Amino acid sequence: FLPFATIREYLSMPTVRRYNSPADLLDYVENHTWFTEVGDGTVRLGMTTIATAMAGQLVAFTPKKVGRAVQAGRSCATVESGKWVGPAKSAAGGEVVAVNEALMANPSMANADPYAAWMVQLKPEDWDSVKATLVPGSAVAGPYEAKMTADGFQGCA
């Protein structure tokens, strides 16, 4: 049994090709990552369900170390699956202030629930400007439909 607010939130999630985007997240559609504000001036960053569906079962997750700088548009972590190795790119530049140790120990957590399995927490530079370029989860249907079409991605399982 789910509380009414949770059911209402679930029903209000935009769905694109079996991808449900949580309305409270900000999506970096181009690179299939999401952001959420932590409330202390930092943001958490993770992979979308689309990212994990495209990559397949994750077998390794290597984030940048705490204290390291991330450049906007560049990698904050390397993600590896049985069929793919590549960067997880951040729309925001800034300093890594925390990494998800549990995800490092068990990368498949991101396949099970990519929204609970955040990757890194950043103290972002110029967050207001970056935030303006991200798509709120509640408005992500159109941009993701276009991105999936451009990428030839049929949808999430």
Side-chain angles (χ1 to χ4, degrees), residues 47 57-61 80 100-113 117-118:
M47 295 176 286
Q57 191 67 28
L58 299 182
V59 297
F61 165 69
E80 181 178 347
N100 190 337
E101 301 279 344
L103 185 60
M104 290 172 61
N106 183 10
S108 65
M109 284 175 51
N111 295 98
D113 186 353
W118 57 277

Side-chain angles (χ1 to χ4, degrees), residues 19-22 25 27 34 47-50 110 113-118:
Y19 165 60
N20 294 320
S21 177
L25 299 181
D27 283 56
W34 56 263
M47 295 176 286
T48 66
T49 303
I50 295 170
D113 186 353
Y115 302 104
W118 57 277

Side-chain angles (χ1 to χ4, degrees), residues 27-33 89 133-135 143-144 147 150-151:
D27 283 56
Y28 182 26
V29 174
E30 182 62 30
N31 286 292
H32 306 295
T33 54
K89 294 182 181 179
T133 69
L134 302 173
V135 180
Y144 254 125
K147 176 72 172 150
D151 291 350

Side-chain angles (χ1 to χ4, degrees), residues 9-10 12-14 20-27 135-140:
E9 289 169 10
Y10 178 78
S12 69
M13 284 184 192
N20 294 320
S21 177
D24 62 334
L25 299 181
L26 298 166
D27 283 56
V135 180
S138 60
V140 82

Side-chain angles (χ1 to χ4, degrees), residues 16-83:
V16 182
R17 301 185 194 187
R18 296 176 308 280
Y19 165 60
N20 294 320
S21 177
D24 62 334
L25 299 181
L26 298 166
D27 283 56
Y28 182 26
V29 174
E30 182 62 30
N31 286 292
H32 306 295
T33 54
W34 56 263
F35 287 84
T36 189
E37 296 173 310
V38 176
D40 61 357
T42 65
V43 295
R44 283 192 176 157
L45 161 62
M47 295 176 286
T48 66
T49 303
I50 295 170
T52 59
M54 291 172 74
Q57 191 67 28
L58 299 182
V59 297
F61 165 69
T62 309
K64 286 207 172 189
K65 294 183 184 335
V66 171
R68 299 290 303 258
V70 172
Q71 294 180 341
R74 304 293 300 233
S75 176
C76 65
T78 300
V79 179
E80 181 178 347
S81 71
K83 62 181 181 178

Side-chain angles (χ1 to χ4, degrees), residues 90-150:
S90 174
E95 178 186 346
V96 176
V97 296
V99 299
N100 190 337
E101 301 279 344
L103 185 60
M104 290 172 61
N106 183 10
S108 65
M109 284 175 51
N111 295 98
D113 186 353
Y115 302 104
W118 57 277
M119 296 185 296
V120 298
Q121 189 166 326
L122 297 175
K123 181 177 172 106
E125 300 164 348
D126 197 18
W127 175 241
D128 289 337
S129 294
V130 173
K131 184 178 177 179
T133 69
L134 302 173
V135 180
S138 60
V140 82
Y144 254 125
E145 182 65 42
K147 176 72 172 150
M148 289 178 180
T149 298

